[in-house]
């Protein structure tokens, strides 16, 4: 294998996948939703997911995007940006819920994810975290938004679970108090939250190992970092 760097090549082993020392806190979940409307069905669905995850023993925090600036329209020190980033770092799993608008996720939803960097110093606010995706639609059932959310989750290096929820004609599925009505669509939301909890428990303490990459181990070498810096014209003083 002449192309391999033996110093950085590793063979995955079952021993490295052994259950870690149990953590002393409940699984932590961050919920994002993609609407600022007063009667927001994506917010209603987000709260339903939060209730279910709490009933399963999780600790849940919901981020409200009111006051979050557009990406690049404010410094990263903006309080709402810092709140969002800290919540993402705190979380072990996330739920993204978006309305479908013009055949895709909303700008409100995308803006939240766009404020989360792939890396911030040595910290990756999303890498290795589990993710469940959901959407609400005003018309017939569609999967455009959840499909786009899946692409986005992969790009953010998250472990996106197989199950998902798409709620068509959402105005029929929630009562006046914003609670989801019983039925097959609600049952699917329960399924998604249950699966998210299982995958999150499976990933706890193992995420760093599972997302560790050969190419990135090579890139962390000081000599390689110097070479990259020289290529882009950066000289340390």
């Amino acid at each position: 294998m002449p192309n391999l760097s033996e110093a950085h090549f590793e063979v995955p082993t079952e021993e490295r996948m052994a259950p870690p020392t149990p953590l002393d806190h409940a699984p932590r979940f961050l919920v994002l939703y993609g609407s600022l409307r007063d009667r927001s069905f994506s917010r209603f669905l987000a709260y339903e997911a939060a209730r279910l995850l709490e009933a399963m023993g999780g600790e849940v925090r919901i981020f409200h995007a009111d006051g979050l600036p557009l990406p690049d329209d404010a410094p990263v020190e903006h309080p709402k940006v810092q709140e969002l980033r800290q919540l993402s770092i705190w979380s072990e799993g996330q739920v993204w819920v978006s309305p479908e608008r013009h055949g895709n996720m909303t700008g409100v939803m995308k803006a939240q994810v766009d404020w989360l960097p792939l890396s911030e110093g040595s910290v990756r606010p999303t890498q290795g975290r589990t993710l469940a995706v959901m959407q609400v639609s005003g018309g017939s059932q569609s999967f455009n938004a959840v499909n786009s959310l899946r692409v986005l989750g992969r790009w953010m290096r998250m472990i996106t679970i197989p199950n998902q929820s798409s709620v068509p004609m959402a105005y029929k599925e929630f009562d006046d108090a914003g609670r989801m009505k019983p039925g097959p669509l609600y049952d699917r939301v329960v399924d998604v939250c249950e699966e998210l909890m299982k995958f999150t428990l499976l990933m706890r303490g193992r995420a760093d190992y599972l997302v560790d990459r050969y190419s990135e181990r090579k890139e962390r070498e000081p000599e390689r970092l110097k070479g990259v810096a020289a290529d882009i014209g950066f000289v340390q003083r």
Side-chain angles (χ1 to χ4, degrees), residues 165-226:
S165 170
S166 174
V167 181
M169 293 183 281
Y171 58 90
K172 293 184 178 180
E173 299 300 325
F174 294 87
D175 61 24
D176 291 341
R179 295 303 306 271
M180 195 171 186
K181 299 174 183 178
L185 292 172
Y186 177 76
D187 293 347
R188 186 59 173 266
V189 175
V190 179
D191 290 347
V192 171
C193 291
E194 182 181 285
E195 189 171 289
L196 177 64
M197 177 61 80
K198 291 176 181 177
F199 272 79
T200 304
L201 291 173
L202 185 64
M203 292 291 294
R204 295 185 94 192
R206 302 178 175 92
D208 288 344
Y209 174 62
L210 287 171
V211 299
D212 185 46
R213 293 174 172 86
Y214 165 78
S215 60
E216 292 181 355
R217 290 194 295 273
K218 290 179 66 178
E219 289 171 358
R220 287 194 293 266
E221 286 292 317
E223 290 304 315
R224 190 176 180 96
L225 292 175
K226 287 181 182 178

Side-chain angles (χ1 to χ4, degrees), residues 15-199:
E15 288 75 18
R16 294 290 300 274
M17 290 297 298
T21 303
L23 299 178
D24 59 0
H25 61 78
R28 296 168 174 171
F29 297 95
L30 169 62
V31 182
L32 307 180
Y33 64 95
S35 172
L36 302 179
R37 292 179 176 176
D38 290 338
R39 184 166 174 79
S40 165
F41 296 111
S42 63
R43 185 175 74 248
F44 294 160
L45 185 55
Y47 271 93
E48 292 293 346
R51 294 183 186 100
L52 287 164
L53 290 169
E54 287 177 342
M56 295 175 191
E59 181 181 357
V60 183
R61 298 182 185 177
I62 301 175
F63 179 75
H64 304 284
D66 309 66
L68 182 71
L70 289 173
D72 303 325
D73 196 35
V76 296
E77 292 79 16
H78 190 284
K80 291 294 290 189
V81 175
Q82 287 301 306
E83 177 189 355
L84 175 59
R85 292 188 176 189
Q86 290 305 312
L87 284 173
S88 186
I89 292 170
W90 167 86
S91 71
E92 296 169 292
Q94 297 187 17
V95 181
W96 295 352
V97 188
S98 180
E100 181 173 317
R101 181 172 296 169
H102 300 318
N104 214 311
M105 74 183 82
T106 61
V108 174
M109 186 75 239
K110 184 62 161 55
Q112 293 175 78
V113 182
D114 282 350
W115 272 119
L116 296 174
L118 283 175
S119 62
E120 193 170 22
S122 61
V123 177
R124 295 186 183 274
T126 55
Q127 177 169 287
R129 285 153 180 80
T130 53
L131 172 66
V133 295
M134 304 184 186
Q135 75 168 74
V136 294
S137 303
S140 59
Q141 192 167 47
S142 168
F143 300 95
N144 291 325
V146 287
N147 287 339
S148 292
L149 290 171
R150 283 187 174 279
V151 171
L152 195 54
R154 179 191 62 79
W155 186 261
M156 301 303 290
R157 301 182 174 186
M158 303 179 77
I159 311 300
T160 308
I161 66 170
N163 215 338
Q164 61 188 24
S165 170
S166 174
V167 181
M169 293 183 281
Y171 58 90
K172 293 184 178 180
E173 299 300 325
F174 294 87
D175 61 24
D176 291 341
R179 295 303 306 271
M180 195 171 186
K181 299 174 183 178
L185 292 172
Y186 177 76
D187 293 347
R188 186 59 173 266
V189 175
V190 179
D191 290 347
V192 171
C193 291
E194 182 181 285
E195 189 171 289
L196 177 64
M197 177 61 80
K198 291 176 181 177
F199 272 79

